[in-house]
Amino acid sequence: MGTSRKRLGVLTSGGDAAGMNAAVRSVVRTALDHGLEVFAIYEGYQGLVDGGPRIHAMQWDSVGGILNRGGTVIGTARCEAFRTHAGRLQAARNLLEHEIDSLVVIGGDGSLTGANIFRQEWPTLLQELIQLGQINQDIADRHAHLTIVGLVGSIDNDMFGTDMTIGADTALHRITEAVDAISSTAASHQRTFVVKVMGRNCGYLALMAGLATGAEWILIPEHPPADNWAEKMCADIRAGRTAGRRDSIVIIAEGARDSSGNPIGSTQVQQALEQGLGEEVRVTVLGHVQRGGAPSAFDRNLGTLMGHEAVRAVLDATPQTEPQMICLRGNRITRAPLMKCVEQSNAVLDVIAAHHYEQAMQLRGSSFREAFDTVKTLLRSLPHEPPPDHKRLRLAVMNCGSPAPGMNTAVRAAVRIGLDRGHSMIGVLHGFKGLIEGQIKEVDWMSVNGWASLGGSELGTNREIPSGSDLYAIARNIEKYEIDGLLIIGGWAGYKGAHELFRERENYPAFNIPIICLPATIDNNLPGSELSIGADTALNTIVVSVDKIKQSGVALRRCYVVEVMGRHCGYLALMGGLATGA
């Protein structure tokens, strides 16, 4: 048996993660497009050991209609046999039966480590198979090297080297939806809820869910609370109630622990709250609902782009190429040495086990640390008292342009961070129109309570751009309200309005203040930023709608034309098409 075409196998292993199907689809179709033959290995490494029908040749249509499905259609299973030398020998025999010498492995750190061991043993395995008479020297010579490319499919987002892993975004969606629903009940009854989320020994899901939902307390393994954490937690929640907060949500990661390394469980948190607050506390363990369901637009596109790059990495590989991991860094798909990433990920676990928590935070990366510092500020019951000699600035925040999901979240963050640093915060109503007409009001800590999950714009917004006499009115109001800085959260109208104030600084000295634009538009068409606030939510709305349309289209064998927004920018159409399989 011989083949002149390169053959590639793809498998999913470990815990399932939404977006794995998008990655499988992308690997299969990209490989076929480059003239490779592709085989899906069903049930992960178990399929590799079992061989036979579990190693199945794939065609273009074999992966049709799977983008919107959670989990993995080619299956995953724990395989003790592959941990043994005999199991890996059988796996090598099964691969060589199909003359496959390249593997794309989609899974977590354990799955990727197993693939690397398999690659290291490959030459030895070939020699054993020759001695056993199961393969001949010609096959061994043609497939002397095993190429491994890894994609991280894990809801935990715990792999060093990549900003996001396939499945983490969808899991975060599930958590935020659940916590938003729980928050409404908590607010109705003025009750405290404890929500336990997955993540193993990584606090990413708990941390980002706390940030996204406006939770009042979070517990993560990388930064254990102080020894008196139970008293501190109860005191913070009581202070929040006194300040006017009706809902109290505590989010705990499954790997949470105290400073001595002892696990902190949801029941322990519940008991501490009931004793400290003198009221009933409810616990919700979200469990595997976080894993399942249709993938988010982000995970579909991440899996697709990573799968495409994985095939390119296979084609670029030489016998000297070490296993590669496909990563997302700064919104760019890149490659990194697989085992270096795995070793660094394991190093985080080692320093956590050794109680070196500051080092663990550093190894998680700067974005993790920044998110933690931000959430520490936002979940406070009241801001810090400024030092006596602190220079207190008066900072204004406004929305401009069309409403974009996330505007309120951004306003909330700006207001609370400004107040916590000792400044006065001012809300401008209805965009530049409010700045012209003097629709300006002081905002305090609780003014923005509950805004994290609200759509639209609570401050109000419009597309009006100041000109002519408007500029004089704005200058007067900046002076009248003693505004020292202006944050404009909005779209193109906000950018143009900010530029107009900048251009007129010579004529109006009041405009000589810091003016900051924060891009917020579903169109994602603003310069200076790869992603605008609101675009991701709009993309998910498109994906949910098109999924429903496709069900009807498949049933009736009809073609549908879907028109999306975006003005003169094709971002939503392009990424929506990629995520839905248009």
Side-chain angles (χ1 to χ4, degrees), residues 25-286:
R25 173 181 179 270
S26 181
V27 168
V28 169
R29 291 191 171 179
T30 303
L32 291 173
D33 193 54
H34 282 81
L36 279 66
E37 293 185 60
V38 195
F39 291 78
I41 298 160
Y42 285 77
E43 312 307 334
Y45 287 119
Q46 189 64 54
L48 210 55
V49 174
D50 293 344
R54 290 194 168 179
I55 302 178
H56 186 73
M58 302 294 277
Q59 305 304 322
W60 192 271
D61 290 340
S62 302
V63 288
I66 67 172
L67 260 178
N68 64 329
R69 294 173 63 177
T72 163
V73 296
I74 62 174
T76 179
R78 298 198 181 279
C79 180
E80 292 301 320
F82 191 75
R83 296 175 182 269
T84 67
H85 181 78
R88 292 190 290 275
L89 184 69
Q90 183 61 36
R93 170 71 185 86
N94 291 331
L95 282 183
L96 290 170
E97 184 177 328
H98 297 280
E99 299 209 40
I100 298 167
D101 58 10
S102 298
L103 277 181
V104 175
V105 179
I106 307 165
D109 55 355
S111 303
L112 300 180
T113 300
N116 184 60
I117 293 169
F118 192 38
R119 183 196 71 91
Q120 290 173 330
E121 289 184 353
W122 187 257
T124 306
L125 296 173
L126 294 186
Q127 290 305 311
E128 287 187 49
L129 290 171
I130 291 172
Q131 292 169 7
L132 292 169
Q134 295 186 8
I135 64 170
N136 57 41
Q137 189 65 49
D138 181 50
I139 288 179
D141 291 343
R142 286 204 305 272
H143 307 290
H145 303 281
L146 178 66
T147 299
I148 296 291
V149 178
L151 277 68
V152 190
S154 167
I155 69 167
D156 305 329
N157 201 36
D158 57 353
M159 181 64 79
F160 180 89
T162 184
D163 294 342
M164 286 291 282
T165 58
I166 296 168
D169 185 72
T170 302
L172 197 52
H173 275 251
R174 299 285 176 271
I175 294 167
T176 53
E177 288 165 2
V179 174
D180 285 349
I182 290 167
S183 294
S184 61
T185 293
S188 299
H189 296 273
Q190 280 196 294
R191 183 170 283 165
T192 301
F193 277 77
V194 177
V195 181
K196 187 172 184 178
V197 303
M198 296 176 101
R200 293 198 302 176
N201 292 302
C202 179
Y204 174 84
L205 290 177
L207 174 62
M208 300 309 287
L211 198 63
T213 61
E216 198 154 7
W217 244 71
I218 61 165
L219 291 156
I220 61 172
E222 295 87 351
H223 196 285
D227 291 339
N228 64 336
W229 64 268
E231 294 86 351
K232 178 75 166 59
M233 177 177 62
C234 293
D236 285 350
I237 289 174
R238 279 196 300 270
R241 294 274 177 87
T242 302
R245 179 166 182 149
R246 293 186 60 85
D247 64 305
S248 302
I249 305 292
V250 176
I251 297 180
I252 174 174
E254 67 175 319
R257 64 199 71 208
D258 62 24
S259 56
S260 299
N262 302 308
I264 299 176
S266 54
T267 302
Q268 187 180 352
V269 176
Q270 178 190 25
Q271 291 171 348
L273 288 167
E274 287 183 336
Q275 290 171 10
L277 300 176
E279 62 182 47
E280 282 188 306
V281 174
R282 297 288 187 261
V283 174
T284 300
V285 179
L286 294 181

Side-chain angles (χ1 to χ4, degrees), residues 433-469:
K433 184 178 181 182
L435 199 54
I436 294 163
E437 298 176 356
Q439 298 182 51
I440 297 168
K441 66 176 184 178
E442 299 271 344
V443 286
D444 61 20
W445 195 263
M446 293 305 292
S447 298
V448 293
N449 188 54
W451 285 23
S453 57
L454 291 180
S457 168
E458 292 296 293
L459 286 179
T461 183
N462 65 43
R463 292 181 177 176
E464 185 167 332
I465 300 168
S467 62
S469 61

Side-chain angles (χ1 to χ4, degrees), residues 116 357 366 372 407 481 541:
N116 184 60
Y357 300 115
S366 58
F372 181 76
M407 275 183 166
Y481 290 94
T541 302

